[in-house]
Amino acid sequence: MVCATTLQRKMLLLPVWASMLLGLLMGFVPVVGMEPTEGAKSDFDHAPNTEPLPSSSGTNCSQLTLKLEFSSKVVEHEYIIAFTGYFSAKARSLYISSALRNSGDRTLEWHIVPRQNPASDFPSDFELVHIRQASPSSLLTLEDHPYIKRVTPQRKVFRMLKYIPSPETAAPCNATRQSWQSSRPFRRTSLSLGSGFWHATGRHSSRRLLRAIPRHVAQILQADVLWQMGHTGSGVKVAVFDTGLSEKHPHFKNVKERTNWTNEKTLDDGLGHGTFVAGVIASMRECQGFAPDSELHIFRVFTNNQVSYTSWFLDAFNYAILKKIDVLNLSIGGPDFMDHPFVDKVWELTANRVIMVSAIGNDGPLYGTLNNPADQMDVIGVGGIDFEDNIARFSSRGMTTWELPGGYGRVKPDIVTYGSGVRGSGLKEGCRSLSGTSVASPVVAGAVTLLVSTVLNRELVNPASMKQALIASARRLPGVNMFEQGHGKLDLIRAYQILNSYKPQASLSPSYIDLTECPYMWPYCSQPIYYGGMPTIVNVTILNGMGVTGRIVDKPIWQPYLPQNGDHIDVAVSYSPVLWPWAGYLAVSISVAKKAASWEGVAQGHVMVTVVSPAENDSEAGGELTSTVKLPIKVKIVPTPPRSKRVLWDQYHNLRYPPGYFPRDNLRMKNDPLDWNGDHIHTNFRDMYQHLRSMGYFVEVLGAPITCFDASQYGTLLMVDSEEEYFPEEITKLRRDIDNGLSLIIFSDWYNTSVMRKVKFYDENTRQWWMPDTGGANVPALNDLISVWGMAFSDGLYEGDFTLADHDMYYASGCSIARFPEDGIVIAKNLKDQGLEVLKQETAVVEGVPILGLYQTPSDGGGRIALYGDSNCIDDSHRQKDCFWMLDALLQYTSYSMTPPSLSHSHSRVAPPTGTERPLPQRLEGNHLYRYSKVLEPHLGDPKPRPLPACPHLSWAKPQPLNETAPSNLWKHQKLLSVDLDKVALPNVRAYRPQVRPLSPGESGAWDIPGGIMPGRYNQEVGQTIPVFAFLGAMVVLSFFVVQLTKSKSKPKRRKPRIKRPTYLQQQQQTTTGKTPGV
C-alpha cells in the first residue's frame, strides 16, 4: 500500500502542475520579471526643471503626468543673417563687414557670435551677429547686400518641467486614464514636453486579462515580420533632434555619433525625452524600437534647462545634410509657418533627400491647430491614436491655414499611429509609457527607417516616394474625417509591399474628391452644392516621386462622365508652376452649371494631370520621367435654396498670427495669447457651422472683398471677429446691399488702446517689444462700416456671467454698444469692467452694459442688422458657454423678420445709447497693421487704402466629355500606379534569430518581458517563445508522470502471507480497492 499511496499523491499533484502551466500559457499567473498589475505613482510633486524623468528601474513602468510651463526672454542685439549660398567663415565675415560699412553709421558696434559646434568647420549659409543698438537702417543695409538673403532676430525659448501627482489612484501601465493638458505653445517647442502629455495612459479595463502584458508598439505594427526576414534598419542613418542620449545606455548598440549644439558641455540626456524618442526608433532590448541596427545620429539641440535657439537648429540641420542623413525625426513644432529661416532650411533638408517626420501638435481637439513643419507638403506629418484606434483627443486637427483667407487648406495630418501610452526607453534603463504626438512621430520615423532598409535600390527612396507608400497603404479608420486621420492608420506591412514594388510616379493627396462620402470627406460632404453658390475649393497636394523638381505639362484636363451627369458641373484648376521640393499644389474649384439650377442628383468626372521630372539617369529616353494621374470628382447637387436659408461667412476680413501679432479674443487665456486658428467655419468655428447646417442653413465662405458677391442671393452676411480694414468701395456696396434686403450680423470683440499697450509683452515669438496692431477685433474699422446707420461699438472691455432668455451666458472680453438707433432693440447686462482690472488691477461692476442690438433699416424692403459685442460664445477656441440659441434667434430675425419675443420683451431691454457719454475708439497711433493688411498700404503719415483689387476670376476648364461609366468606389479605385496590394505578397519568411547579447558587467537583468528570460539582441521573439517553452515544459512533466504511472503498473508486487478468508470477504475487498488480488 505504500506504493499505491505514493502514486495517489503524485496523481493529485498532476492537475496542480497542469493548471499552473495552463495559467502560464494563458497569461493569468505572473512569472518572474513580469510587470506589476498596478503602476507606481510618481514620487514628484514639483520637480525642478532640470530634473530628469523619474527612474523606472523598480517597476519597469512609470505613471507620469508632466506639465510644462513656458517663458521666454528677448535675445537683445542678436540677429541671424541668412546668405544666398554656403560660404566660409571668412567670406561671411567680409560680406557682413562690407554691408555694415555701407550703412554710414561709424559708431555701430558689432561682432560675430562664435558657434562652437561640429558644423563650424564647414561652410554655412547663415551667421549669428551681435549688433548693439541696431537701427532699422542698419538692418535694411544688411539686406541690401547681394549675398544676404534675410535678417531675422535670434530666438530663445525656456521650458520648465513639473511633475504633477495624479489625484486618482495610479492605473496599470496598460490601463487607461485620459489625463491630458493643452498649452498651445505659440513658439516652436517639443510636442511632448511642450504640451504636458508625458503620462501613462491606456483604455483597457481590468476585465481584459489578455491585455495584462502590453505588447510593444513595434510588435503591434508587425515589425517582427520584417525582422524575421532579416530587415532591421541596417545601413540607414536616422537623426534624432532632441535632448541628447547617454553614452552607455543599455538599449542602444549602434550610436554612430552624438553631437552637442547647445552651450552646455555635455552630450548626455538630462531629461529623458531624447532617450525615449531614440528608444522608440532604435532600442534593441526591453521596449524594442523598430530599427535596432540603424545608425543613430543624436543631435542635442535642447539644454537640460529646456533652452534652444534658432541658430542651433540651423547649424544642426546643415550638419545633417553634410552627414547624408536618411531619416530625421523632429518632435517639435509651432504655429509660425512664416518663420522663414526655419522653413527654408526644412525645404533644403528634404531637397537633399532627407525624409523628415514631424509631429502635428498637441492642440486638439480644436481644428486648424496644425504645427509647423508638420504642415508642410514635403514633411510627413503624424497624428496620434490610442490602442483602441480612436483619434487621441490631444492630436491636432487640420486643415492647414497657410492658404486662408483667400483659398482653402490642405489635408493634414498625412498619417496617424499610436501616440497614447506608447512604451519607450527610460533615462538610464527600463521603460516608461508616454503620450503625445511627439510619441507618434518617432513611431513613424522608426517604421520609415525600417522600411528604407528593406529596399534594395535606395535611389527609389525619397521623401515623396516614402510618403506615397505610407498614405497608399494606410488603413482608414471608420467614422473619422480626413482632417483628423489624414489617410489613415500606419500599416507597416502594406507599406513594405508597396515600397518594394514601387515605380517612380506622381500621386495626389487626397487621391479623389467625393462630396457625397461622409464622414471621411467632412466638411466637403456636409453640404451639397448648387447653382449660384460660392465655388467649392479643394486643395490637393501633388507628390512627385520621380524627382525633387518637376512641372505640370500642358494644362489639367477636365473630363465629365456623361452617363453620370458630369456636364452639370464646371471645374477650374490652378496649380504650382514648379513642383519643389518633391511636391506642389493642385487647387480645384467646383461649381454647378446653370442648366442644373433646379436639378438634383449626383454628377461625376475626373481631372487628368501629367507631371514630368528631369531623369536622374541621363540614359532615360528624352531625359525626363512622365507620370499621368487621375483625380476623380463626385458631387451632390441640389436645387438652389431660397435666399433666406443662405448665410455668407466673411473670411476675407479675418487676420491671424502669423505674420502679425493679433491677440486672442479672450484676455483670460494668458497662456494662449495669439489668434492663430484661421477664424474659419471649418476650424475654430466648426461647432457653429455644424449647428447651422443642422438647422437647415446653407453656409458659404467669402474669400474676397464685399464687392465680389451677389447680395441678392443671400439672406444674411455674417461677420465674426474681423481684424481687417475695409475698402471705401466695400462700405458703399454694403450700404446699398442692405437697403436692397441683405441682412447683417456682427459679432465683435474688445478694442482698447490702453489695454493693447499693456499687453505688449505677450508678443514673445518675434522677440521684439511690439504692441498688438489691433484688439480682439478691429472696432474702429467696424464702426466705419456701420456708422451710416447710427451704430458704433465702444472701447469698453467687459466680462461676466448672466442669464438671457433663460439661457446661461458668459461674456468673455467683449465690448459694448456705444451708439444705436433710437427705434432699435437693445439688451443690457451688468458686467465686470475687465479693462479696469487689466490696467489697474481693480475690480468694478458696471450696470446696464449694452451688449446686443437689433435694428430694422427704414428703407422699403431693407434688411436687418444685429450687433453683439463678443464672439467667444460661438468660437471653439475658449468657449465656456455657447450661444448658438441666440444665433438661431438672430438668424430668424435677419432672414425672416421674426423678432424673438424673448428679446423684444426682455426685462433687460434698455433705451438705445446715443454715444455722447464717451468718445468712440480710435486706431492705435503708430500701429503697423498695414504690414499685414490686404487693404492698407504705407503712406506718408497715416496708411491709406490700396486700390480695390479685382474680384477673383476663375477660368473654367473646357470639358472633354466621356461617354463611359464612372467607377463606383473612388477610394478603392485610386491606388498607386502599377501597384496592386492583392498581388504583392510577402516573401517567404525565413527563420531568423539574431544572437543573444550577454549582459554587461553591472547591468541589471530585471526587465519587463515575462519569464525573466535574458534579453537578446531583439527580444521581440521572447513573447512568442514563452508559450512554446511553457508547452514543452508541460509535456515533459506530463511525460514524467505517465512514465511513473506505467512503472507502477508493470512492477511486480511482493505478496505478504495472509490468512485464507471466506469468499464474501474477498469480494468485499475487491469492491473497496478496485483491484483483483494476485494468485
Side-chain angles (χ1 to χ4, degrees):
M1 296 300 295
V2 176
C3 286
T5 305
T6 305
L7 180 61
Q8 288 177 6
R9 290 175 180 173
K10 290 180 179 178
M11 295 189 68
L12 288 174
L13 289 172
L14 179 60
V16 178
W17 280 95
S19 62
M20 290 182 66
L21 290 168
L22 183 61
L24 290 175
L25 290 170
M26 297 301 293
F28 291 132
V29 181
V31 291
V32 178
M34 182 182 292
E35 64 182 335
T37 57
E38 294 293 331
K41 291 184 180 179
S42 172
D43 295 330
F44 296 84
D45 291 334
H46 296 281
N49 60 343
T50 58
E51 189 74 17
L53 293 177
S55 173
S56 59
S57 59
T59 64
N60 291 321
C61 182
S62 58
Q63 301 286 346
L64 305 177
T65 299
L66 269 72
K67 179 182 178 182
L68 188 98
E69 294 183 354
F70 292 96
S71 66
S72 64
K73 178 182 179 181
V74 174
V75 184
E76 292 184 311
H77 314 308
E78 287 191 6
Y79 299 89
I80 296 173
I81 299 177
F83 295 92
T84 57
Y86 284 80
F87 302 99
S88 65
K90 183 178 180 180
R92 299 195 304 268
S93 177
L94 289 174
Y95 295 152
I96 294 171
S97 60
S98 174
L100 291 178
R101 278 198 304 268
N102 294 333
S103 66
D105 188 354
R106 303 301 179 186
T107 62
L108 192 66
E109 298 180 14
W110 68 275
H111 67 270
I112 294 176
V113 179
R115 310 197 307 274
Q116 301 298 327
N117 57 54
S120 58
D121 297 332
F122 301 93
S124 178
D125 61 345
F126 80 97
E127 194 66 87
L128 183 62
V129 180
H130 184 279
I131 306 177
R132 188 169 184 80
Q133 297 179 349
S135 63
S137 61
S138 302
L139 300 181
L140 290 175
T141 303
L142 275 170
E143 292 187 338
D144 288 340
H145 193 278
Y147 291 120
I148 294 178
K149 180 167 62 175
R150 189 180 295 112
V151 179
T152 54
Q154 167 79 314
R155 306 183 180 193
K156 181 179 182 179
V157 179
F158 291 97
R159 303 181 297 179
M160 287 80 70
L161 290 174
K162 290 187 177 181
Y163 297 86
I164 308 299
S166 173
E168 304 175 6
T169 303
C173 290
N174 60 316
T176 67
R177 182 176 64 252
Q178 191 72 0
S179 172
W180 67 280
Q181 187 170 1
S182 175
S183 63
R184 282 203 211 136
F186 54 93
R187 58 190 67 80
R188 207 172 299 279
T189 56
S190 167
L191 291 175
S192 182
L193 292 170
S195 300
F197 293 112
W198 283 32
H199 56 86
T201 66
R203 302 274 307 263
H204 324 304
S205 68
S206 58
R207 291 171 293 176
R208 301 186 179 220
L209 296 177
L210 294 180
R211 298 296 296 272
I213 306 173
R215 297 171 62 196
H216 299 298
V217 66
Q219 292 177 322
I220 294 174
L221 292 171
Q222 295 182 284
D224 49 346
V225 174
L226 300 183
W227 292 339
Q228 293 175 34
M229 294 164 52
H231 305 300
T232 56
S234 178
V236 182
K237 299 178 180 179
V238 56
V240 177
F241 278 58
D242 221 288
T243 55
L245 178 67
S246 175
E247 181 180 9
K248 295 183 179 180
H249 198 289
H251 288 187
F252 306 97
K253 70 147 192 174
N254 201 14
V255 179
K256 284 295 182 182
E257 186 177 29
R258 297 183 306 144
T259 53
N260 177 36
W261 306 87
T262 71
N263 54 12
E264 293 181 340
K265 304 300 182 183
T266 180
L267 294 167
D268 292 343
D269 183 4
L271 294 165
H273 184 239
T275 303
F276 181 90
V277 170
V280 172
I281 296 173
S283 172
M284 69 172 185
R285 40 183 319 201
E286 302 192 50
C287 32
Q288 305 100 328
F290 285 83
D293 275 340
S294 61
E295 297 182 8
L296 266 180
H297 294 254
I298 304 300
F299 290 73
R300 188 174 187 269
V301 292
F302 281 100
T303 67
N304 289 336
N305 289 325
Q306 286 298 284
V307 174
S308 185
Y309 291 84
T310 301
S311 60
W312 294 353
F313 272 98
L314 298 182
D315 268 333
F317 283 151
N318 284 339
Y319 193 68
I321 294 174
L322 288 170
K323 286 294 182 178
K324 299 187 183 300
I325 294 297
D326 298 309
V327 182
L328 191 152
N329 181 79
L330 200 62
S331 292
I332 66 165
D336 191 357
F337 54 78
M338 297 187 71
D339 183 1
H340 293 292
F342 194 93
V343 172
D344 288 351
K345 190 57 64 176
V346 170
W347 283 339
E348 186 178 349
L349 275 164
T350 55
N352 282 274
R353 307 182 74 90
V354 178
I355 301 173
M356 179 173 285
V357 183
S358 185
I360 63 166
N362 293 336
D363 300 306
L366 189 65
Y367 281 67
T369 52
L370 296 169
N371 280 216
N372 181 266
D375 61 349
Q376 294 183 206
M377 292 184 287
D378 54 322
V379 176
I380 299 173
V382 183
I385 60 175
D386 61 22
F387 286 105
E388 303 297 330
D389 286 352
N390 301 312
I391 299 294
R393 180 176 175 84
F394 54 73
S395 186
S396 290
R397 271 71 165 170
M399 60 185 165
T400 63
T401 56
W402 292 41
E403 298 81 3
L404 298 178
Y408 198 84
R410 287 169 286 107
V411 175
K412 281 279 182 169
D414 294 304
I415 198 169
V416 293
T417 192
Y418 302 116
S420 183
V422 172
R423 296 167 61 78
S425 299
L427 179 60
K428 299 297 183 183
E429 61 179 5
C431 303
R432 57 174 38 90
S433 296
L434 305 179
S435 297
T437 54
S438 71
V439 174
S441 178
V443 170
V444 172
V448 167
T449 304
L450 181 58
L451 288 170
V452 173
S453 70
T454 68
V455 181
L456 295 178
N457 183 5
R458 295 286 175 88
E459 292 298 322
L460 293 177
V461 180
N462 57 56
S465 64
M466 181 57 70
K467 182 186 283 193
Q468 287 173 329
L470 292 178
I471 66 179
S473 61
R475 299 276 185 178
R476 183 173 295 181
L477 302 177
V480 181
N481 70 57
M482 60 185 179
F483 289 145
E484 290 182 315
Q485 67 168 312
H487 294 268
K489 171 187 171 183
L490 171 67
D491 189 323
L492 182 63
I493 301 304
R494 282 162 58 99
Y496 163 78
Q497 292 175 291
I498 288 180
L499 202 58
N500 280 271
S501 60
Y502 177 81
K503 295 180 181 178
Q505 60 190 277
S507 65
L508 304 174
S509 171
S511 60
Y512 67 98
I513 300 171
D514 188 350
L515 274 61
T516 69
E517 182 188 4
C518 269
Y520 180 72
M521 279 283 171
W522 187 94
Y524 298 111
C525 65
S526 61
Q527 180 171 292
I529 63 175
Y530 41 84
Y531 174 70
M534 292 289 173
T536 298
I537 303 174
V538 183
N539 218 335
V540 179
T541 299
I542 305 173
L543 296 173
N544 179 23
M546 299 179 292
V548 66
T549 184
R551 71 183 192 282
I552 295 177
V553 296
D554 301 323
K555 289 184 178 180
I557 302 172
W558 162 238
Q559 295 183 305
Y561 294 110
L562 294 181
Q564 277 73 40
N565 309 296
D567 55 338
H568 284 48
I569 55 177
D570 296 323
V571 171
V573 179
S574 60
Y575 50 88
S576 303
V578 177
L579 309 180
W580 185 91
W582 309 103
Y585 71 86
L586 181 74
V588 181
S589 300
I590 308 171
S591 189
V592 178
K594 186 176 182 180
K595 65 179 181 180
S598 301
W599 182 78
E600 182 173 357
V602 175
Q604 286 186 255
H606 66 245
V607 174
M608 299 289 291
V609 181
T610 301
V611 177
V612 299
S613 283
E616 295 184 2
N617 187 348
D618 294 335
S619 64
E620 296 283 348
E624 286 185 333
L625 298 177
T626 303
S627 178
T628 300
V629 290
K630 181 189 298 184
L631 179 69
I633 297 175
K634 183 178 181 180
V635 300
K636 169 70 174 177
I637 299 175
V638 297
T640 303
R643 179 183 186 182
S644 59
K645 283 291 186 182
R646 296 177 63 179
V647 177
L648 186 63
W649 170 274
D650 177 23
Q651 185 69 35
Y652 185 78
H653 294 91
N654 284 327
L655 300 175
R656 74 350 183 159
Y657 175 89
Y661 174 15
F662 298 101
R664 265 282 176 225
D665 306 326
N666 187 349
L667 290 178
R668 286 290 175 201
M669 302 301 155
K670 297 180 180 180
N671 65 328
D672 189 16
L674 297 176
D675 192 356
W676 63 282
N677 301 123
D679 284 350
H680 194 278
I681 58 172
H682 298 155
T683 57
N684 53 314
F685 289 94
R686 175 179 182 267
D687 289 351
M688 181 210 71
Y689 167 75
Q690 295 282 70
H691 176 80
L692 291 180
R693 287 295 299 130
S694 68
M695 298 301 295
Y697 291 100
F698 293 82
V699 187
E700 302 173 38
V701 177
L702 176 65
I706 293 175
T707 54
C708 297
F709 78 99
D710 181 4
S712 64
Q713 299 288 321
Y714 300 93
T716 303
L717 175 64
L718 185 56
M719 292 184 171
V720 180
D721 187 23
S722 302
E723 294 91 359
E724 181 63 279
E725 294 283 339
Y726 296 89
F727 291 103
E729 295 88 345
E730 290 183 293
I731 298 175
T732 302
K733 180 179 183 294
L734 184 61
R735 178 182 181 182
R736 184 171 63 250
D737 290 341
I738 291 179
D739 287 343
N740 293 328
L742 177 71
S743 293
L744 174 67
I745 297 178
I746 296 178
F747 283 80
S748 183
D749 269 299
W750 68 274
Y751 187 99
N752 185 290
T753 55
S754 299
V755 173
M756 290 162 64
R757 292 187 181 95
K758 182 73 173 180
V759 299
K760 64 180 181 179
F761 62 90
Y762 283 131
D763 189 16
E764 297 170 342
N765 195 55
T766 58
R767 307 295 173 240
Q768 297 185 31
W769 293 99
W770 287 356
M771 288 177 290
D773 296 307
T774 183
N778 192 341
V779 168
L782 286 172
N783 288 345
D784 291 345
L785 190 69
I786 60 179
S787 62
V788 66
W789 296 285
M791 302 177 183
F793 290 104
S794 77
D795 63 354
L797 205 166
Y798 305 98
E799 74 160 344
D801 294 288
F802 61 92
T803 301
L804 181 61
D806 296 327
H807 292 272
D808 292 333
M809 302 278 286
Y810 176 66
Y811 212 67
S813 304
C815 66
S816 65
I817 298 175
R819 182 186 300 165
F820 208 74
E822 59 182 9
D823 54 343
I825 299 173
V826 174
I827 304 296
K829 290 293 178 180
N830 298 339
L831 298 171
K832 290 188 292 185
D833 190 338
Q834 191 177 20
L836 184 66
E837 180 182 353
V838 172
L839 296 174
K840 298 182 179 180
Q841 290 74 50
E842 298 177 2
T843 303
V845 176
V846 182
E847 296 184 356
V849 178
I851 58 174
L852 176 63
L854 288 76
Y855 178 65
Q856 168 70 60
T857 57
S859 59
D860 186 21
R864 288 152 293 280
I865 301 175
L867 305 181
Y868 189 67
D870 179 33
S871 71
N872 284 279
C873 60
I874 58 174
D875 187 341
D876 301 345
S877 299
H878 301 295
R879 185 180 65 241
Q880 298 187 26
K881 300 174 183 177
D882 74 73
C883 61
F884 297 149
W885 70 269
M886 186 179 72
L887 180 60
D888 291 341
L890 297 182
L891 284 171
Q892 286 288 320
Y893 175 70
T894 58
S895 298
Y896 302 102
S897 189
M898 296 173 58
T899 305
S902 58
L903 299 180
S904 59
H905 298 91
S906 172
H907 65 277
S908 300
R909 182 173 176 177
V910 298
T914 60
T916 58
E917 294 83 3
R918 56 191 298 178
L920 298 179
Q922 302 298 314
R923 292 170 177 83
L924 179 65
E925 185 178 353
N927 74 79
H928 301 100
L929 184 62
Y930 65 88
R931 294 178 178 175
Y932 323 110
S933 171
K934 302 179 293 293
V935 177
L936 300 178
E937 64 180 359
H939 192 271
L940 294 177
D942 294 330
K944 302 295 181 182
R946 304 173 188 267
L948 181 69
C951 295
H953 175 71
L954 294 175
S955 179
W956 301 107
K958 185 178 180 180
Q960 297 183 10
L962 297 175
N963 193 17
E964 60 183 68
T965 303
S968 57
N969 191 327
L970 302 187
W971 170 40
K972 192 171 183 179
H973 181 73
Q974 284 300 106
K975 297 296 181 183
L976 287 177
L977 301 177
S978 307
V979 174
D980 187 348
L981 286 179
D982 297 330
K983 296 181 180 179
V984 182
L986 284 173
N988 292 328
V989 179
R990 60 184 175 87
Y992 179 76
R993 183 182 178 89
Q995 280 187 329
V996 174
R997 185 182 70 83
L999 289 175
S1000 302
E1003 191 175 4
S1004 172
W1007 56 306
D1008 59 348
I1009 294 296
I1013 300 171
M1014 185 177 295
R1017 183 182 173 197
Y1018 310 113
N1019 53 27
Q1020 75 278 2
E1021 298 180 4
V1022 171
Q1024 301 169 3
T1025 56
I1026 285 176
V1028 176
F1029 290 146
F1031 178 76
L1032 293 176
M1035 292 301 100
V1036 171
V1037 174
L1038 288 174
S1039 300
F1040 171 77
F1041 282 108
V1042 170
V1043 170
Q1044 294 297 319
L1045 181 61
T1046 304
K1047 287 181 178 181
S1048 65
K1049 287 183 178 181
S1050 60
K1051 186 176 181 180
K1053 303 293 188 289
R1054 197 178 79 182
R1055 292 184 296 173
K1056 295 181 180 180
R1058 62 182 67 185
I1059 301 173
K1060 190 174 183 179
R1061 298 182 180 183
T1063 304
Y1064 76 93
L1065 291 176
Q1066 296 179 11
Q1067 292 176 350
Q1068 183 179 2
Q1069 184 180 6
Q1070 290 175 6
T1071 58
T1072 303
T1073 63
K1075 293 179 183 277
T1076 302
V1079 177

